[in-house]
Amino acid sequence: MSLEAALLKKAGATCPLPYPEKFKAAVKLVKDRETEGKTFKDENRLALFALEQQALVGSCKEPKPWGWNVVESAKWQAWSQLQDMAPVEAMRLYVRLLEDELPSWWDEYESEINSSQSSPHRELPVSSSIPESNGTPSSPAASPRRPAANGSSHSEASNLSDTPKAQHKRKATSLSEAIKTVGAPGRWASPMQSDSKHPPPRYEHAASLVGHSLYVIGGNCGGRYLNDVWVLNLDNLTWQLVTTSAKPLPPVGGGSFDEIEPVVSTPLLGHKEDSSKPSSTSALPPSAGHVLLAWGSNLVCIGGHTKAKDAKVYMVIRVLDTHKHEWSIMSPAGNAPPQRGGHSGTLVGSKVYLFGGEDAARRPQGDLFVLDLADMEWQSPEVTGTPPPARSAHAAAAYQQRYLLIFGGGSVANCFGDLYVLDTDSMHWSCPATQGPPPAPRAGHAGDVLGDSWYVVGGGNNTSGCTDMVALDLTPLATSDQTDDPLTWSTVSQAESRSAIVSEGMTVEAVPYARCLLSFGGYNGKYQSALQVFRPEATHHQKAPHQKQHEEQEPNKVMQAQAQSPQHARDARNRPVALETPKDQYNKHLEAARTRSGPLSQKQPSPRHTSPASGMLEEATNQEAAADMDSEEIKGQEEVHSSQVAALQEQMVSAMQRVSAAEKEAAAAKEAAGTELALMRRQLTSSQAALAEAEQRASDADAQLLDEQAKVMRLEVTVAEQQQQLSRMEELEKELQHYRKLNKEVEGGKQKPGGGIWGYIAGTPAT
């Protein structure tokens, strides 16, 4: 075997397919390896992603993702650096990079294809749920043979029991009955869906529950905004893609949703539309980071990030009629807030409380707006207390139709782990006291209230995703006299880091009548389209008998602790003492005198001497006066102590204010430093990319220069050869002229007789 053949055998066989089939085979192999957990280095993965997008989509024209999403920012940066590279060149570089990283990729691809074609269908046991995974749950179409519980195939069992009555019974089975068999309580599971049709993967979408239907609208997939509408029927767990239509814009002002009539488009109050641009349509543009709320049989869609051509200056309210599947635009009265995405919208009664988000320049916001759906009016309420700092991608929920809860979220370079509560009756912000293990700071998480617990899952920070699911016990907020009691955090479950539930930008919706939570979509390095179900344990947040007994004993323990505390001792010393009156002391001494001397009638006192009773009375009076003096002295001391305590309290309040101001300054400085650091990192990344691009261009220019120099040398050699041939041509030309001259002389000799003796004889005169 020759050396070349040995090297080819070691490197693997060469792919015989032409482009683009060769590129498609390489992409399939890379995706299959990622599914199996066989990934490449991070820089190679970024390069492969960018080249794939360049080959399939073209140049990067998508907006830059959120600043705290490092993975998406890196992907966008890698893709945008390719600029106007041709798709064919991107395909070639993709395959070349794969060959450098995995020389035997074609052998692996062929073996995988052969094994998949030769392996028989796997028989999967019948189960109502699929264990939690990071992919989309398998559909019945993907596994044609499923043995039933008695060992027969699923198709045979279906044929035996597929009567009209059985079909009607299966159709009437509700989610509240079917959900009892999905997984185990206290963990996430993927239900077996009855149809292979499901929405494409996405994140930053919006979802809401209307009756027994879950609506999923819009989102982001690979930097591409979506505006499709999918409906999940919770009775049979089937997905349906809904085709919607647009409706003319409604008039400005209030009115219920049922009173909307087709009218001419009118702008929102508080701003002017550019007349040079075409008027907006009521159809939902491709959006991400928007809010979706159910209001009767309608869905209210508020805000969201859109493409530059669809961007608006102020918030747009769109309404989807779930009966007619028709979009329309509402134009509330009042001043509309600026357009944004990544905000939260929470329905409390008939009012939607909008908080936070990011504007078109990706700057975090911290303002609060209220949309009254009954009066169709925007409001900017005045609040008291300390509001949450500016943030986006946070979680929000409502409790008892009164309290607005805000947890977590992110800014440019920070993720928050704080909890804020807004009392919508008093419009007062507060940071309630909590107990239990606090959740880690996160952004991009989701949650919903089920019963008296707020469940929060998913999200991540700048380094990794959050694998825990936490719950906040809200029972202290249920009654007004328990608002000072701490709220309790608890960890409900843990998931694997690559699980679909450990994602950012997913949605979580509570299904109260089924006592479960539904999660869909998200991104954890891979865009998800998995439907997950969580059923809380029945004992979660329920008080056991020994806990109740312990709580009944707590007041006694508290009283004992107070009795033993130094403060209680000081209070006891300052408490007035119950002194005996002079009359009581007189009677007491009189009784003692009777005991010593007998009855008074038997022994009369001498008139010249003072009676013992009067002396005792005088002594008691003196004691009472001394007690009054002591009481006045104690009161004076109490007043002095009270003034000292008030002064100390004022000093403490002033110190706390200074500490709070210092903390705010430190947080602002940290935020500014983080922002500057992020900008410097971006500039460094851009500079490194520009340097690498310049070096690549210089290398290409050097290579081209070498090629040109080689061409010049070849041309010089050719010119020298041509010059030699030209000199030879000149010599040949001279020889040719000489021969032509000789030829003429010869021809001239033949025509004229020659001279000489013979000419003389012939009579030819000599010339």
Side-chain angles (χ1 to χ4, degrees), residues 296-317:
S297 61
N298 299 279
L299 289 172
V300 183
C301 184
I302 306 174
H305 292 300
T306 60
K307 295 182 180 180
K309 64 177 183 179
D310 299 323
K312 299 297 179 184
V313 179
Y314 293 90
M315 193 80 75
V316 179
I317 311 300

Side-chain angles (χ1 to χ4, degrees), residues 489-521:
W489 284 107
S490 61
T491 302
V492 179
S493 65
Q494 290 281 350
E496 298 180 358
S497 59
R498 298 186 61 84
S499 173
I501 204 63
V502 185
S503 299
E504 300 177 7
M506 61 183 180
T507 55
V508 172
E509 288 293 320
V511 186
Y513 64 85
R515 291 290 302 170
C516 71
L517 299 171
L518 293 179
S519 170
F520 176 77

Side-chain angles (χ1 to χ4, degrees), residues 753-764:
I757 187 69
W758 295 104
Y760 178 78
I761 297 174
T764 303

Side-chain angles (χ1 to χ4, degrees), residues 687-747:
S687 300
Q688 290 176 348
L691 179 60
E693 184 178 358
E695 290 178 351
Q696 182 65 30
R697 291 179 179 175
S699 178
D700 295 341
D702 292 340
Q704 292 179 0
L705 180 59
L706 292 176
D707 293 340
E708 294 297 331
Q709 289 177 352
K711 291 180 180 179
V712 170
M713 292 180 64
R714 289 194 297 269
L715 288 175
E716 290 178 353
V717 172
T718 304
V719 169
E721 292 177 353
Q722 294 293 333
Q723 288 178 352
Q724 291 179 359
Q725 293 180 2
L726 182 60
S727 61
R728 292 181 59 187
M729 289 294 294
E730 290 178 354
E731 294 177 358
L732 292 175
E733 183 70 22
K734 291 180 180 180
E735 292 180 2
L736 180 60
Q737 293 293 337
H738 178 67
Y739 285 121
R740 286 178 178 174
K741 185 177 181 181
L742 293 178
N743 188 22
K744 288 181 178 180
E745 292 177 355
V746 172
E747 291 179 352

Side-chain angles (χ1 to χ4, degrees), residues 643-658:
S643 62
Q644 293 178 351
V645 169
L648 289 174
Q649 288 179 349
E650 291 179 358
Q651 294 177 2
M652 283 187 70
V653 170
S654 177
M656 291 296 293
Q657 291 178 352
R658 291 196 298 270

